[in-house]
């Protein structure tokens, strides 16, 4: 009707119905399947783009911060041979300070990649630790309202929920000019629900096209969940995420069933 092409599969067979024979023709519309495949391919491309952007950011951090620090250590060490005793001791102190800063930067990068609290203590403890680290300066303040989870979510669900919360809190600190941020985590029969709300300046949904928003949605959709970023009725911005509450036991049982 609208001029759109249709891809279909046609098959036919003959049925004997008493003395009569009937020719049955089946027409299967394959267009929707093609559309779904195209959507999956587009999602995979977007996910690869997000991963490459994250790797590029990590590479830049390693090159700019860590690389420059190591170069400074090398230059200071080479200068030791031509310095008197007093200056040599001062240079050794500089090298020690740069080395300590470099170790701290490497530790921070490691925590960004995979916080040990997430592996050792689980999602709730990791969220508390992350919020404490990000809001340690006291402005904005943070309020935590985290359900106690009866069972531990699967690894990929924990990882996605933590990263979405991390990105939402980062945006609140950098862009919202907020006084207060509320982080909520709820567990129900509908799944795991995350809510990050700030009382900042808000935003225009039509103009929100940042990589962080894309990343949050991709993380959730990859698991069959979703993310909504919207102006809050009472002011500020609200990030809501819904994720399936698959547990580590569920994953283990599913794997065991295949053997």
């Amino acid at each position: 009707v609208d001029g759109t092409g249709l891809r279909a599969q046609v098959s036919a067979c003959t049925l004997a119905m008493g003395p009569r024979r009937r020719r049955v023709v089946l027409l299967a519309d394959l267009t929707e399947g093609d559309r779904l495949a195209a959507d999956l391919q587009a999602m995979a491309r977007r996910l690869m783009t997000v991963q490459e952007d994250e790797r590029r950011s990590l590479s830049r951090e390693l090159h700019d911060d860590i690389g420059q620090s190591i170069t400074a250590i090398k230059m200071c060490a080479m200068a030791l041979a031509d310095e008197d005793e007093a200056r040599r001791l001062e240079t050794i102190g500089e090298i020690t300070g740069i080395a300590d800063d470099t170790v701290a930067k490497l530790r921070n990068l490691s925590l960004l990649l995979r916080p040990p609290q997430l592996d050792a203590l689980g999602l709730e403890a990791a969220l508390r630790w992350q919020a404490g680290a990000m809001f340690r300066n006291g402005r904005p303040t943070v309020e935590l309202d985290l359900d106690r989870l009866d069972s531990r979510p699967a690894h990929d669900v924990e990882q996605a929920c933590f990263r979405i919360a991390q990105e939402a809190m980062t945006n609140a600190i950098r862009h919202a000019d907020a006084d207060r941020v509320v982080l909520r985590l709820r567990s129900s029969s509908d799944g795991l629900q995350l809510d990050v709300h700030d009382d900042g300046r808000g935003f225009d949904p039509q103009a929100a096209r940042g990589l962080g928003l894309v990343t949050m949605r991709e993380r959730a959709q990859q698991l069959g969940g979703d993310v909504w970023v919207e102006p809050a009725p009472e002011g500020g911005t609200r990030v809501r995420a819904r994720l399936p509450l698959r547990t580590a036991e569920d994953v283990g049982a599913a794997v065991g069933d295949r053997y």
Side-chain angles (χ1 to χ4, degrees):
V1 178
D2 61 358
T4 303
L6 173 68
R7 198 170 77 88
Q9 181 180 39
V10 181
S11 58
C13 64
T14 302
L15 298 179
M17 303 177 66
R20 298 183 177 182
R21 292 176 178 273
R22 295 288 186 268
R23 189 71 171 169
V24 178
V25 179
L26 300 177
L27 177 66
D29 184 357
L30 303 181
T31 308
E32 187 62 30
D34 292 344
R35 187 179 298 113
L36 178 60
D39 289 343
L40 290 174
Q41 290 178 355
M43 182 179 293
R45 286 194 296 270
R46 289 198 302 270
L47 182 59
M48 291 179 62
T49 299
V50 168
Q51 290 175 334
E52 285 303 316
D53 287 335
E54 289 180 339
R55 290 169 181 164
R56 188 180 300 112
S57 177
L58 176 60
S59 175
R60 190 181 303 114
E61 290 283 345
L62 289 172
H63 178 271
D64 292 348
D65 288 343
I66 308 302
Q68 290 176 8
S69 296
I70 293 176
T71 299
I73 291 174
K74 178 180 178 181
M75 294 179 64
C76 289
M78 293 174 61
L80 287 174
D82 300 326
E83 294 175 347
D84 55 35
E85 187 65 23
R87 178 56 185 161
R88 187 176 293 118
L89 292 174
E90 184 178 342
T91 301
I92 291 174
E94 293 177 2
I95 292 175
T96 302
I98 296 172
D100 289 341
D101 289 342
T102 304
V103 170
K105 290 175 182 176
L106 284 172
R107 185 184 301 114
N108 290 336
L109 283 173
S110 176
L111 292 175
L112 286 174
L113 288 173
R114 180 70 183 179
Q117 288 84 350
L118 197 55
D119 287 324
L121 302 177
L123 179 60
E124 303 154 80
L127 289 174
R128 291 185 185 278
W129 166 81
Q130 182 66 74
M134 295 179 70
F135 295 90
R136 61 182 178 272
N137 294 330
R139 188 183 185 281
T141 60
V142 62
E143 176 184 323
L144 302 180
D145 184 8
L146 309 177
D147 268 2
R148 181 180 178 85
L149 303 180
D150 295 330
S151 56
R152 184 163 182 177
H155 168 84
D156 54 353
V157 175
E158 279 192 333
Q159 178 82 2
C161 187
F162 179 84
R163 292 304 185 197
I164 292 169
Q166 187 181 52
E167 180 66 30
M169 290 188 292
T170 298
N171 288 339
I173 293 173
R174 290 181 178 175
H175 308 301
D177 191 25
D179 293 319
R180 179 170 168 266
V181 177
V182 179
L183 171 64
R184 291 190 178 93
L185 181 67
R186 294 286 183 266
S187 172
S188 68
S189 58
D190 295 332
L192 200 62
Q193 300 189 23
L194 176 74
D195 190 310
V196 182
H197 173 216
D198 69 69
D199 62 355
R201 63 168 63 98
F203 75 108
D204 178 4
Q206 301 301 320
R209 297 291 186 270
L211 177 62
L213 301 181
V214 174
T215 303
M216 287 192 289
R217 291 194 177 100
E218 293 292 349
R219 290 188 190 280
Q221 291 171 0
Q222 191 178 21
L223 300 175
D226 211 342
V227 169
W228 299 267
V229 183
E230 56 199 11
E234 61 272 33
T237 301
R238 186 182 183 192
V239 177
R240 295 184 296 123
R242 179 190 57 78
L243 300 170
L245 188 56
R246 292 186 294 103
T247 67
E249 291 79 5
D250 294 335
V251 175
V255 173
D257 291 342
R258 293 199 293 267
Y259 291 90

